[in-house]
Amino acid sequence: MVESGETSLTQSSMNPDPWTTVGTAPATPLATERILLVDDEEVLRRLARSVLTRQGYEVVDASDPAAALAIATEQSGTFDLILADVMMPGMRGYEMVRKIRPHQPRAKVLYMSGYAGEIEGGPTVVSPLLAKPFRPRQLLDEIRRILDTPA
């Protein structure tokens, strides 16, 4: 949970620069992995993309599951991580990941949700899960932890 006065990726109106809590330069070497970011909330998607690209990640984003499926199945190249909102119109994030998996079998997954306590199917369906709102550093740390964990 975000403490009062701290910036989260869903509190952009309080502080439009997500780097104020992360710092202007990455604390670790720049990342090289490729991430598919899927969230129907434009502000969060834009801020997450900014945070991730400044850290060195190559980010391809989609505003809905259908666009993400098209990207993951039709675009050349593979993704190292799928960063997906759980609750999106038309299809849940975990359903989308199941459809993407045959085309991106090595991609690891990190789910995000503002409804962490209310997700149908329980925690095993959407694990690992990053609860919204979150700070940029939390996002970066969790992605790095997942990418560095052996498959």
Side-chain angles (χ1 to χ4, degrees), residues 121-127:
T124 58
V125 173
V126 291
S127 181

Side-chain angles (χ1 to χ4, degrees), residues 26-123:
T28 57
L30 289 178
T32 59
E33 292 90 354
R34 190 166 187 234
I35 296 175
L36 176 59
L37 167 63
V38 190
D39 198 306
D40 59 314
E41 192 176 326
E42 182 181 351
V43 172
L44 181 105
R45 199 174 60 251
R46 187 177 62 233
L47 288 171
R49 180 185 179 92
S50 175
V51 167
L52 295 170
T53 56
R54 286 186 182 196
Q55 191 67 24
Y57 293 103
E58 178 186 345
V59 179
V60 177
D61 64 280
S63 61
D64 59 65
L69 285 165
I71 290 167
T73 60
E74 298 170 10
Q75 200 174 80
S76 62
T78 60
F79 290 97
D80 298 293
L81 181 90
I82 301 167
L83 176 59
D85 189 17
V86 174
M87 307 294 274
M88 292 182 284
M91 186 183 308
R92 299 291 186 240
Y94 54 87
E95 295 168 331
M96 175 196 70
V97 168
R98 281 189 207 128
K99 292 183 178 193
I100 290 174
R101 184 64 71 202
H103 305 280
Q104 299 288 332
R106 292 190 206 118
K108 295 181 179 184
V109 179
L110 173 58
Y111 294 102
M112 315 174 278
S113 181
Y115 305 95
E118 304 172 22
I119 297 172
E120 59 194 65

Side-chain angles (χ1 to χ4, degrees), residues 10-24:
T10 58
Q11 296 172 322
S12 62
S13 62
M14 294 174 62
N15 189 343
D17 182 3
W19 282 93
T20 57
T21 58
V22 177
T24 56

